[in-house]
Amino acid sequence: MTLPPHRTLTKSNAQFQRAVKRLPLGVSSTFRYWGEDRTIYVARGKGGRTWDIDDNCYVDYRLGYGPAILGYADDRVDAAARKGMEVGGVFALSTERELIVADRIAKMVPAAELVRFSNSGTEAVMAALRLARAHTGRESYLLVEGGYHGLFDAAMWQADVEGWQQGGNADPEVVPYGKGIPPTVRSLAHLTPMNDLQRLEDVFRRHGNQFAAMLIEPIQGNCCSIMASAEYVRLARELCTRYGVMLIIDEVKSGFRVGKGGIQGILGVTPDITTFAKAVANGYPIAVVAGREEVMRSFRYGGASHGGTYTAHSVSLAAAEECLRILDETPALETLANYGERLKAGISAILNARGIVHSFSGHPSMFGLFFAPEPPDNYRAWKTSDYSFYDRMAYYLHDLGIICEPDSREPWFMCEAHGLDPTCLTDTLRAVETAVDLTLEDLESEAAREPAHV
């Protein structure tokens, strides 16, 4: 099989050559760089689709890493945002709509007794950790391996599994995500594997009295949507209560996506502090820190500092009010989750017909695809697995008009518009079938070229 001509990137390639002279890697986020000849520049988006400046059309399962939960340029949310513009933008003062949106969040999420607004997921988690430290008077904290909590120094620590020997007594070394992170921060960060109950108890037994917080994504939005078991999260809740530690459930990606009350509602676990961002306003920049009243009252003069010129911006608040209303009062979440189930079933049918073992992780609204009988249940299992088939398939999917993250650790995100447009599913499955066959053809060709072992 030969890849049919589907797209040209002449204009995107030319734009890259111009942009790279002024922007590092030609982009404003390192993760948008997909190589000199494959980095795309978006012209517009509508519903579940994106068009690049070469006018290539894609069914988009990245959705900006999840924010466009209703679909790009949703008429209802954009109309609300335009009304927000009439308010006047930024005042560094409060407006009545802050309470309206906070009340809606508290209605949907019981743990959100009090609410503060921020601008991004990173800022929300930074504020949550600072709040936990202020409330407890402690400094160190516990992270779960594979979790992603934003791009700030305290959260950018990971288990280095590359050279790690499985089955040995030693844990992987804890290393920063990249350069520029002071090693002094490392002394405060502790890591533990997901879903290992004994290890969780052990780390609390050793260090629980020093922890200000435990941060956990029960659905790891940057690691194949690996899920924590309900038992694991409930144990975390019990241990945090026992040791006076603030349980921070990071729902920057899962919040208002997997359910009205987030993953915490599904698992039946109440955190002390929780964070939301991606799906709050259908792509308008806003984030949320919420939690127990006693804890949240530590945001005060002489307590934990929190602010920001652009927090509770009038446009983002207006968009959030309408987006949350839609998620709360209409079948939008059921529509997109049902679409995710149908998409998974269609992908399975294609892979099963070719005898390709696979499994899915996460939730139908944000799932991971894994080429093994069972999905991993922790970061170490994912990192030491073979995800080369996925990586190659994703490469072809881009050429065939499907946008997913080229790195298999990022979930496929669904939006309401996918479920309302029947062509999204048929176009996607047609492309998946071709991409799978091309990947198989590549692997067969490589196997044929390998020298025989005597």
PDB file of all heavy atoms in Angstrom, residues 172-187:
ATOM      1  N   PRO A 172      13.575   4.205  40.297  1.00  0.00           N
ATOM      2  CA  PRO A 172      14.190   5.108  39.320  1.00  0.00           C
ATOM      3  C   PRO A 172      14.627   6.397  40.003  1.00  0.00           C
ATOM      4  O   PRO A 172      14.007   6.850  40.974  1.00  0.00           O
ATOM      5  CB  PRO A 172      13.071   5.364  38.309  1.00  0.00           C
ATOM      6  CG  PRO A 172      12.074   4.271  38.522  1.00  0.00           C
ATOM      7  CD  PRO A 172      12.174   3.877  39.955  1.00  0.00           C
ATOM      8  N   GLU A 173      15.665   7.000  39.476  1.00  0.00           N
ATOM      9  CA  GLU A 173      16.123   8.283  39.995  1.00  0.00           C
ATOM     10  C   GLU A 173      15.074   9.349  39.695  1.00  0.00           C
ATOM     11  O   GLU A 173      14.418   9.318  38.662  1.00  0.00           O
ATOM     12  CB  GLU A 173      17.448   8.668  39.335  1.00  0.00           C
ATOM     13  CG  GLU A 173      18.050   9.954  39.854  1.00  0.00           C
ATOM     14  CD  GLU A 173      19.319  10.344  39.128  1.00  0.00           C
ATOM     15  OE1 GLU A 173      19.719   9.606  38.200  1.00  0.00           O
ATOM     16  OE2 GLU A 173      19.891  11.399  39.476  1.00  0.00           O
ATOM     17  N   VAL A 174      14.887  10.278  40.617  1.00  0.00           N
ATOM     18  CA  VAL A 174      13.986  11.401  40.395  1.00  0.00           C
ATOM     19  C   VAL A 174      14.772  12.517  39.724  1.00  0.00           C
ATOM     20  O   VAL A 174      15.785  12.988  40.254  1.00  0.00           O
ATOM     21  CB  VAL A 174      13.373  11.890  41.717  1.00  0.00           C
ATOM     22  CG1 VAL A 174      12.504  13.108  41.479  1.00  0.00           C
ATOM     23  CG2 VAL A 174      12.558  10.773  42.360  1.00  0.00           C
ATOM     24  N   VAL A 175      14.313  12.937  38.533  1.00  0.00           N
ATOM     25  CA  VAL A 175      15.034  13.930  37.745  1.00  0.00           C
ATOM     26  C   VAL A 175      14.057  15.012  37.286  1.00  0.00           C
ATOM     27  O   VAL A 175      12.855  14.782  37.194  1.00  0.00           O
ATOM     28  CB  VAL A 175      15.715  13.287  36.515  1.00  0.00           C
ATOM     29  CG1 VAL A 175      16.766  12.277  36.954  1.00  0.00           C
ATOM     30  CG2 VAL A 175      14.690  12.635  35.597  1.00  0.00           C
ATOM     31  N   PRO A 176      14.563  16.205  36.953  1.00  0.00           N
ATOM     32  CA  PRO A 176      13.678  17.253  36.434  1.00  0.00           C
ATOM     33  C   PRO A 176      13.271  16.966  34.996  1.00  0.00           C
ATOM     34  O   PRO A 176      13.952  16.235  34.274  1.00  0.00           O
ATOM     35  CB  PRO A 176      14.537  18.517  36.534  1.00  0.00           C
ATOM     36  CG  PRO A 176      15.941  18.025  36.461  1.00  0.00           C
ATOM     37  CD  PRO A 176      15.954  16.681  37.129  1.00  0.00           C
ATOM     38  N   TYR A 177      12.169  17.572  34.567  1.00  0.00           N
ATOM     39  CA  TYR A 177      11.709  17.420  33.188  1.00  0.00           C
ATOM     40  C   TYR A 177      12.703  18.002  32.192  1.00  0.00           C
ATOM     41  O   TYR A 177      12.809  17.543  31.066  1.00  0.00           O
ATOM     42  CB  TYR A 177      10.369  18.134  33.001  1.00  0.00           C
ATOM     43  CG  TYR A 177       9.171  17.361  33.466  1.00  0.00           C
ATOM     44  CD1 TYR A 177       8.348  17.870  34.463  1.00  0.00           C
ATOM     45  CD2 TYR A 177       8.841  16.141  32.904  1.00  0.00           C
ATOM     46  CE1 TYR A 177       7.219  17.180  34.886  1.00  0.00           C
ATOM     47  CE2 TYR A 177       7.718  15.441  33.325  1.00  0.00           C
ATOM     48  CZ  TYR A 177       6.909  15.966  34.315  1.00  0.00           C
ATOM     49  OH  TYR A 177       5.806  15.275  34.736  1.00  0.00           O
ATOM     50  N   GLY A 178      13.389  19.053  32.571  1.00  0.00           N
ATOM     51  CA  GLY A 178      14.324  19.697  31.654  1.00  0.00           C
ATOM     52  C   GLY A 178      15.301  20.547  32.426  1.00  0.00           C
ATOM     53  O   GLY A 178      15.356  20.512  33.661  1.00  0.00           O
ATOM     54  N   LYS A 179      16.074  21.327  31.707  1.00  0.00           N
ATOM     55  CA  LYS A 179      17.083  22.175  32.328  1.00  0.00           C
ATOM     56  C   LYS A 179      16.442  23.436  32.901  1.00  0.00           C
ATOM     57  O   LYS A 179      15.330  23.806  32.538  1.00  0.00           O
ATOM     58  CB  LYS A 179      18.150  22.532  31.308  1.00  0.00           C
ATOM     59  CG  LYS A 179      18.947  21.319  30.825  1.00  0.00           C
ATOM     60  CD  LYS A 179      20.030  21.723  29.852  1.00  0.00           C
ATOM     61  CE  LYS A 179      20.842  20.509  29.419  1.00  0.00           C
ATOM     62  NZ  LYS A 179      21.922  20.866  28.461  1.00  0.00           N
ATOM     63  N   GLY A 180      17.188  24.075  33.803  1.00  0.00           N
ATOM     64  CA  GLY A 180      16.728  25.330  34.372  1.00  0.00           C
ATOM     65  C   GLY A 180      15.939  25.183  35.649  1.00  0.00           C
ATOM     66  O   GLY A 180      15.409  26.180  36.162  1.00  0.00           O
ATOM     67  N   ILE A 181      15.814  23.959  36.161  1.00  0.00           N
ATOM     68  CA  ILE A 181      15.064  23.721  37.398  1.00  0.00           C
ATOM     69  C   ILE A 181      16.067  23.542  38.535  1.00  0.00           C
ATOM     70  O   ILE A 181      16.882  22.610  38.492  1.00  0.00           O
ATOM     71  CB  ILE A 181      14.168  22.478  37.255  1.00  0.00           C
ATOM     72  CG1 ILE A 181      13.202  22.676  36.085  1.00  0.00           C
ATOM     73  CG2 ILE A 181      13.402  22.212  38.544  1.00  0.00           C
ATOM     74  CD1 ILE A 181      12.449  21.436  35.708  1.00  0.00           C
ATOM     75  N   PRO A 182      16.043  24.398  39.534  1.00  0.00           N
ATOM     76  CA  PRO A 182      17.058  24.331  40.591  1.00  0.00           C
ATOM     77  C   PRO A 182      17.021  22.994  41.331  1.00  0.00           C
ATOM     78  O   PRO A 182      15.937  22.545  41.754  1.00  0.00           O
ATOM     79  CB  PRO A 182      16.681  25.477  41.530  1.00  0.00           C
ATOM     80  CG  PRO A 182      15.829  26.380  40.708  1.00  0.00           C
ATOM     81  CD  PRO A 182      15.107  25.509  39.736  1.00  0.00           C
ATOM     82  N   PRO A 183      18.156  22.334  41.505  1.00  0.00           N
ATOM     83  CA  PRO A 183      18.178  21.062  42.231  1.00  0.00           C
ATOM     84  C   PRO A 183      17.753  21.191  43.684  1.00  0.00           C
ATOM     85  O   PRO A 183      17.342  20.209  44.305  1.00  0.00           O
ATOM     86  CB  PRO A 183      19.634  20.602  42.111  1.00  0.00           C
ATOM     87  CG  PRO A 183      20.415  21.821  41.771  1.00  0.00           C
ATOM     88  CD  PRO A 183      19.490  22.715  41.003  1.00  0.00           C
ATOM     89  N   THR A 184      17.789  22.392  44.227  1.00  0.00           N
ATOM     90  CA  THR A 184      17.371  22.581  45.615  1.00  0.00           C
ATOM     91  C   THR A 184      15.886  22.267  45.801  1.00  0.00           C
ATOM     92  O   THR A 184      15.456  21.881  46.888  1.00  0.00           O
ATOM     93  CB  THR A 184      17.638  24.028  46.060  1.00  0.00           C
ATOM     94  OG1 THR A 184      17.074  24.931  45.106  1.00  0.00           O
ATOM     95  CG2 THR A 184      19.136  24.300  46.157  1.00  0.00           C
ATOM     96  N   VAL A 185      15.095  22.425  44.739  1.00  0.00           N
ATOM     97  CA  VAL A 185      13.667  22.135  44.826  1.00  0.00           C
ATOM     98  C   VAL A 185      13.439  20.640  45.040  1.00  0.00           C
ATOM     99  O   VAL A 185      12.451  20.222  45.637  1.00  0.00           O
ATOM    100  CB  VAL A 185      12.949  22.615  43.547  1.00  0.00           C
ATOM    101  CG1 VAL A 185      11.455  22.315  43.596  1.00  0.00           C
ATOM    102  CG2 VAL A 185      13.176  24.114  43.344  1.00  0.00           C
ATOM    103  N   ARG A 186      14.362  19.833  44.536  1.00  0.00           N
ATOM    104  CA  ARG A 186      14.229  18.374  44.584  1.00  0.00           C
ATOM    105  C   ARG A 186      14.053  17.860  46.010  1.00  0.00           C
ATOM    106  O   ARG A 186      13.339  16.865  46.236  1.00  0.00           O
ATOM    107  CB  ARG A 186      15.462  17.733  43.932  1.00  0.00           C
ATOM    108  CG  ARG A 186      15.676  16.256  44.179  1.00  0.00           C
ATOM    109  CD  ARG A 186      14.611  15.410  43.486  1.00  0.00           C
ATOM    110  NE  ARG A 186      14.739  14.012  43.826  1.00  0.00           N
ATOM    111  CZ  ARG A 186      14.195  13.432  44.874  1.00  0.00           C
ATOM    112  NH1 ARG A 186      13.477  14.147  45.733  1.00  0.00           N
ATOM    113  NH2 ARG A 186      14.351  12.146  45.093  1.00  0.00           N
ATOM    114  N   SER A 187      14.660  18.529  46.981  1.00  0.00           N
ATOM    115  CA  SER A 187      14.614  18.025  48.358  1.00  0.00           C
ATOM    116  C   SER A 187      13.194  18.037  48.931  1.00  0.00           C
ATOM    117  O   SER A 187      12.911  17.336  49.894  1.00  0.00           O
ATOM    118  CB  SER A 187      15.533  18.857  49.258  1.00  0.00           C
ATOM    119  OG  SER A 187      15.092  20.205  49.303  1.00  0.00           O
TER     120      SER A 187
END
